[in-house]
Amino acid sequence: MRSYLSAFNERQKEAITTDDSRVLVLAGAGSGKTKTLLQRIQYLIDKKEVRPSEILGITFTRAAANEMIDRLIMSADTSGQYEKIISDVSQPKYEIKKTRRSFETRHKWISGLTIKTFHSLCYTILRQYGANEFDNKFRIILDSKTDNDDEFSNATTPELSLDVMQKILIERCKSNDFLLDFKRYILDYYVDKQHLKEGPYKELNTYSKDFTTLDGTKVGSKSEQYIADWLYRHSIKYKYEATLIVENFPFRPDFFIPAANLCIEHVSDKSYPMGDKLKEYKRGGLHCVQTHDRITKDTSLFNHELDRIFAGLLPKDYHSKLVLNFSEELKSYLGFVKDYLTQVLRVMDMIKTEGLSVEEIRLNASNDKHERVRNFYELALPLIDDYIKYCVNKSYLDFNDLISTSISLCKNNADVLEMLQSTYKYVLVDEFQDVNNLQVDLLNLILTPESRLFCVGDDWQSIYGFRGSNVSYIIDFQKHFPGSTLIKLDTNYRSTTNIVEASNEVIKYNKYKVEKEISAFKKSTTKICVFAGSSKEENARFAAEEVIRLSEEGFGVDDILFLYRRTKMLEPYREEFYTRGMKLKGKTIHGAKGLEAKIVFIIGLTDGPGGFPDVWLMDRIFQTIKKSDVNLLMEEERRLFYVALTRAKEKVYLLTEKGSESRFLDEIPDKLIEKQTSEFKPIVEELESCKKCNSKLDQSFSFCPFCGMKIMKD
């Protein structure tokens, strides 16, 4: 092998050739950190005469591991044949895999290396050494089919983790009590969010039925909708505005609950005179209560008020006698059920990663002052208990189990640990900023005072806190690994001057970081474009027009990448591009880690929930497990924005909306940006009002979307 050190700068050379036993290469975006790590491997073999079998390279994804192998093969393949083959996008994956193995065998030093993900490493450990500790006929349960690793592709379970959790939920819901509690939670905290999105009360025709309840009943006010939904979520049967004849006298209450012989009259104004009417109900032998708008505007107050009203009125065995079915009760809300179960699985992963017991979480949750948090865990923890038992009985291991079981195996079997330590004398970790507690525990077991640890990463790109990664390990590396050496790579070879300067300025607002001065190798004064449209649709039209213009300049589809915080942000852009017959390449920012493009559009840059930034752990549910200061959570969002900016090689577009601009835009100096204005005319130039409910209408409407009245055209 030839040495390519001449192609590296002085800092990179220092990292490649160091003899220090514990090294962190702290590298900014586009600084060639993976390239440096790979050259370090070649240097160890070529110059230090280290046996390839003594080298362990660790990544976080199979794609990253394959990329490392591919780049090592290309460095050894002087013919250029391999690069040509794998660059052919028409090649199927199985052919690339076959070719990779063929070329590995041609270069024995590459096939002798161990380059694995943390999970595939642990899988190998358990398969080779686990028989004496436990039944190692285990299978891997995945979160999704895309998580499959080539190494254990034949040892995965036929069902995904979400499938199992749903199966367990349905079994639990055979109990009426659990089903009713679960139904109440889903409808209280998921469906109610949809109601809240509908905005403030609208002025409506007094006699119209303009609100649809959860069970499909049409009612005349938002408050009545809340009452009807409360009754539905508690599986209490009711009649709306039914006429009751008592001794030839007609009563027509807003709600009648036969099982409780209860009438509810709802009035908007507390001062409304109801005394005479309530007396009539009493004389008719009907119990009647009065409710007011004020209680429906506070969810907690509303729930407690209705609980109080019904206390002791329903038969004690009312719910136990109901014949309830999971599918029937929740068939309209299965999407919300899936969201809930996804949250439960995420909570379980966090519990495992943080090394906490279910009992600890149960205690923390029970003492939480927020009712929603208590209700969530009252339902979630039994599901987690059942899930863990199910997996144990089936010999299923998830990714966290692979690592924790490997750690346990090594701690309980000195010979296994000694075997690992004597085998891997050089451990190299890519993207070290993404490690979690379990992964660091495993590293510390494998390492001995004589072994060498070489890590590359960037604390500014730590964006997986929601998966359990702990940025403190890279920021405080020298504390976690005493006597270690820190080498900084401070030249960005990917992005132009303005992009690098903008990303540097943004990240300065983070307090918890390692200070670095990153400079751009590529000199260019092209400014960052900021566009603030009046709507998402207008932003999408602007983007489409810009892509057309860029294509005229010679940029292709693969040169342009759309990045977004949440997948739904891309929907109006997909629609706009589809209607124009244009192709669009988009990724979540998390999914774009490691990617680059000449032109990058970052969309959805608005403040508030669902925007960017959007602090994920603001939700109290996750704070029960992993408490974090809001400012630190905001810092992760800012790191995510930094990652998005630094995917661009030549130009960045930042798309926001007037009046709700993301705070991140204010953190970029004005000298680095150019603001573009819209040349589009508004789609709706004139509005008219519905003659029935006075709602504002697009002139193109044929029917009022609020009350259904046909619009008569002049």
Side-chain angles (χ1 to χ4, degrees):
M1 290 181 296
R2 292 182 298 148
S3 173
Y4 292 94
L5 288 185
S6 60
F8 294 83
N9 64 37
E10 292 305 310
R11 293 285 180 84
Q12 291 170 329
K13 290 177 184 177
E14 180 188 355
I16 293 166
T17 59
T18 182
D19 288 326
D20 294 340
S21 63
R22 301 287 185 271
V23 179
L24 171 64
V25 179
L26 201 62
S31 61
K33 56 182 179 290
T34 302
K35 179 182 175 184
T36 300
L37 182 145
L38 294 175
Q39 190 63 32
R40 169 72 174 174
I41 292 174
Q42 294 197 32
Y43 174 81
L44 290 173
I45 297 171
D46 192 33
K47 300 297 182 181
K48 306 299 286 187
E49 299 182 349
V50 174
R51 291 193 297 270
S53 59
E54 297 177 329
I55 298 174
L56 169 64
I58 305 179
T59 68
F60 286 84
T61 66
R62 171 46 55 187
N66 287 339
E67 184 187 356
M68 288 177 65
I69 295 169
D70 289 343
R71 290 168 69 170
L72 287 170
I73 294 173
M74 284 188 288
S75 72
D77 178 34
T78 55
S79 70
Q81 184 184 2
Y82 185 74
E83 183 175 6
K84 184 179 179 181
I85 294 172
I86 66 167
S87 300
D88 184 358
V89 294
S90 65
Q91 285 282 334
K93 288 184 178 179
Y94 69 88
E95 284 292 344
I96 291 182
K97 184 179 177 181
K98 183 179 175 182
T99 301
R100 183 179 294 116
R101 287 177 175 173
S102 172
F103 273 80
E104 279 187 82
T105 58
R106 296 184 194 181
H107 306 283
K108 298 295 184 183
W109 67 273
I110 298 177
S111 60
L113 296 168
T114 300
I115 298 178
K116 292 179 177 292
T117 65
F118 274 102
H119 304 125
S120 65
L121 172 65
C122 290
Y123 178 79
T124 302
I125 292 171
L126 295 179
R127 286 293 189 219
Q128 291 183 352
Y129 309 116
N132 296 330
E133 180 72 13
F134 63 97
D135 177 11
N136 68 348
K137 296 179 180 178
F138 63 88
R139 288 183 291 176
I140 311 300
I141 184 167
L142 304 174
D143 293 333
S144 73
K145 293 179 180 179
T146 59
D147 292 334
N148 209 340
D149 191 302
D150 290 344
E151 187 168 346
F152 47 74
S153 59
N154 296 322
T156 57
T157 63
E159 49 195 350
L160 300 176
S161 55
L162 189 61
D163 301 330
V164 173
M165 190 61 81
Q166 182 166 313
K167 183 190 297 185
I168 287 166
L169 171 66
I170 292 171
E171 186 64 29
R172 276 276 177 179
C173 285
K174 289 180 179 179
S175 161
N176 268 13
D177 288 341
F178 191 93
L179 176 55
L180 286 168
D181 287 342
F182 183 73
K183 176 182 173 182
R184 177 172 178 173
Y185 181 88
I186 291 295
L187 297 180
D188 275 354
Y189 299 114
Y190 283 89
V191 177
D192 272 2
K193 287 199 297 186
Q194 302 302 310
H195 287 180
L196 292 173
K197 290 178 182 178
E198 295 174 9
Y201 290 83
K202 298 192 289 284
E203 294 293 329
L204 297 169
N205 188 308
T206 307
Y207 302 103
S208 64
K209 303 292 188 291
D210 293 293
F211 293 93
T212 304
T213 68
L214 296 173
D215 63 359
T217 303
K218 296 286 187 180
V219 296
S221 72
K222 192 74 169 175
S223 294
E224 288 184 342
Q225 182 188 37
Y226 285 147
I227 294 170
D229 289 350
W230 188 92
L231 294 169
Y232 175 77
R233 63 170 56 97
H234 288 79
S235 295
I236 298 174
K237 296 187 181 299
Y238 68 91
K239 295 180 180 179
Y240 179 69
E241 292 189 346
T243 301
L244 310 175
I245 306 297
V246 181
E247 297 180 357
N248 296 321
F249 189 88
F251 295 90
R252 197 165 183 258
D254 292 327
F255 296 91
F256 176 60
I257 297 88
N261 194 35
L262 173 67
C263 300
I264 299 177
E265 287 282 6
H266 184 80
V267 295
S268 58
D269 188 351
K270 192 175 181 180
S271 64
Y272 187 86
M274 285 283 292
D276 292 341
K277 196 172 183 178
L278 294 176
K279 289 177 182 177
E280 291 292 337
Y281 276 103
K282 190 174 183 180
R283 280 196 291 269
L286 296 169
H287 181 45
C288 184
V289 297
Q290 187 178 347
T291 58
H292 307 91
D293 276 354
R294 67 176 181 85
I295 70 163
T296 61
K297 294 178 181 180
D298 184 302
T299 302
S300 180
L301 176 64
F302 173 65
N303 283 329
H304 287 302
E305 179 69 9
L306 270 293
D307 284 334
R308 184 191 63 78
I309 289 172
F310 278 87
L313 293 181
L314 289 172
K316 291 183 179 180
D317 59 352
Y318 176 78
H319 284 108
S320 63
K321 287 186 175 182
L322 293 175
V323 180
L324 301 176
N325 176 275
F326 173 85
S327 297
E328 284 300 314
E329 294 298 314
L330 292 159
K331 63 182 178 182
S332 300
Y333 311 106
L334 294 180
F336 297 111
V337 172
K338 182 180 177 181
D339 288 345
Y340 173 81
L341 294 180
T342 301
Q343 282 193 324
V344 173
L345 288 168
R346 185 167 139 198
V347 161
M348 184 178 67
D349 282 343
M350 291 178 71
I351 290 172
K352 291 180 178 181
T353 301
E354 296 299 312
L356 300 171
S357 69
V358 173
E359 287 307 315
E360 287 179 274
I361 302 303
R362 197 186 311 275
L363 180 61
N364 292 343
S366 65
N367 293 323
D368 198 286
K369 65 180 181 180
H370 291 80
E371 182 182 34
R372 180 190 174 218
V373 175
R374 297 195 302 272
N375 290 345
F376 175 91
Y377 282 99
E378 283 173 8
L379 296 163
L381 292 179
L383 297 177
I384 291 173
D385 282 336
D386 291 351
Y387 181 95
I388 292 172
K389 290 174 184 175
Y390 181 94
C391 289
V392 169
N393 291 334
K394 291 277 191 175
S395 295
Y396 289 177
L397 298 181
D398 63 23
F399 283 165
N400 285 315
D401 295 332
L402 281 173
I403 300 177
S404 61
T405 307
S406 296
I407 291 172
S408 177
L409 176 66
C410 291
K411 286 182 176 179
N412 296 330
N413 293 268
D415 56 335
V416 173
L417 181 58
E418 186 179 349
M419 180 75 69
L420 286 172
Q421 291 175 338
S422 62
T423 300
Y424 301 122
K425 297 178 180 179
Y426 294 83
V427 180
L428 300 94
V429 185
D430 196 16
E431 305 289 357
F432 188 78
Q433 74 278 352
D434 296 332
V435 293
N436 61 33
N437 299 348
L438 287 175
Q439 291 159 346
V440 172
D441 287 346
L442 179 66
L443 283 176
N444 281 322
L445 277 173
I446 295 175
L447 294 171
T448 68
E450 291 74 33
S451 56
R452 299 286 192 268
L453 175 66
F454 184 91
C455 303
V456 299
D458 183 9
D459 62 299
W460 294 5
Q461 297 185 70
S462 177
I463 58 173
Y464 291 110
F466 69 97
R467 291 185 186 173
S469 70
N470 190 338
V471 70
S472 71
Y473 287 119
I474 188 168
I475 292 178
D476 301 318
F477 187 88
Q478 292 175 307
K479 183 175 77 176
H480 294 290
F481 300 94
S484 57
T485 300
L486 184 64
I487 300 173
K488 297 180 182 179
L489 304 185
D490 52 12
T491 302
N492 183 315
Y493 293 95
R494 176 189 298 147
S495 307
T496 59
T497 307
N498 276 7
I499 297 172
V500 172
E501 286 187 18
S503 60
N504 286 345
E505 289 298 319
V506 166
I507 210 69
K508 283 180 181 179
Y509 285 84
N510 276 9
K511 294 181 179 179
Y512 190 47
K513 64 181 186 297
V514 180
E515 296 293 342
K516 298 190 288 287
E517 291 293 332
I518 308 298
S519 60
F521 182 79
K522 297 163 87 176
K523 307 302 179 185
S524 171
T525 57
T526 301
K527 292 188 175 183
I528 293 169
C529 174
V530 176
F531 179 80
S534 58
S535 66
K536 297 177 181 67
E537 290 71 23
E538 185 178 351
N539 286 348
R541 293 195 300 276
F542 168 80
E545 293 292 338
E546 279 298 297
V547 169
I548 291 172
R549 188 184 63 78
L550 289 166
S551 67
E552 293 171 352
E553 294 180 7
F555 294 98
V557 173
D558 291 334
D559 296 324
I560 303 170
L561 179 63
F562 281 74
L563 298 179
Y564 39 90
R565 179 68 175 83
R566 304 203 182 279
T567 303
K568 65 180 181 181
M569 292 176 174
L570 192 63
E571 291 174 1
Y573 295 84
R574 287 195 187 281
E575 185 175 343
E576 180 69 29
F577 276 58
Y578 178 79
T579 56
R580 293 172 179 253
M582 298 167 59
K583 293 183 179 179
L584 179 153
K585 184 178 173 183
K587 285 275 189 181
T588 65
I589 303 172
H590 287 99
K593 185 76 180 301
L595 299 181
E596 61 183 29
K598 291 180 180 179
I599 311 292
V600 168
F601 286 78
I602 306 174
I603 63 177
L605 282 163
T606 59
D607 252 5
F612 188 20
D614 191 3
V615 179
W616 64 273
L617 262 179
M618 288 290 285
D619 196 325
R620 291 276 314 175
I621 286 171
F622 304 106
Q623 290 279 9
T624 302
I625 302 170
K626 186 177 180 180
K627 295 192 181 298
S628 186
D629 181 81
V630 172
N631 291 326
L632 291 180
L633 300 174
M634 184 59 69
E635 290 199 358
E636 177 154 327
E637 288 291 292
R638 188 172 285 108
R639 291 195 295 268
L640 191 62
F641 184 52
Y642 173 87
V643 168
L645 283 172
T646 54
R647 297 312 91 195
K649 298 166 74 173
E650 297 181 18
K651 186 161 185 168
V652 174
Y653 289 83
L654 306 178
L655 275 60
T656 184
E657 292 177 46
K658 294 176 183 176
S660 60
E661 292 87 347
S662 169
R663 69 191 69 182
F664 292 156
L665 298 176
D666 294 331
E667 296 172 1
I668 302 175
D670 290 341
K671 67 178 183 178
L672 302 177
I673 64 175
E674 60 175 357
K675 295 182 180 180
Q676 292 199 19
T677 56
S678 175
E679 297 180 359
F680 303 110
K681 295 181 180 180
I683 293 179
V684 181
E685 297 181 351
E686 294 181 12
L687 294 176
E688 59 180 278
S689 297
C690 174
K691 292 180 173 59
K692 184 178 180 182
C693 69
N694 292 320
S695 299
K696 297 295 185 183
L697 304 174
D698 185 322
Q699 59 183 355
S700 64
F701 287 167
S702 299
F703 293 87
C704 176
F706 303 105
C707 70
M709 181 178 176
K710 184 175 177 63
I711 307 301
M712 304 302 296
K713 303 294 184 180
D714 295 332

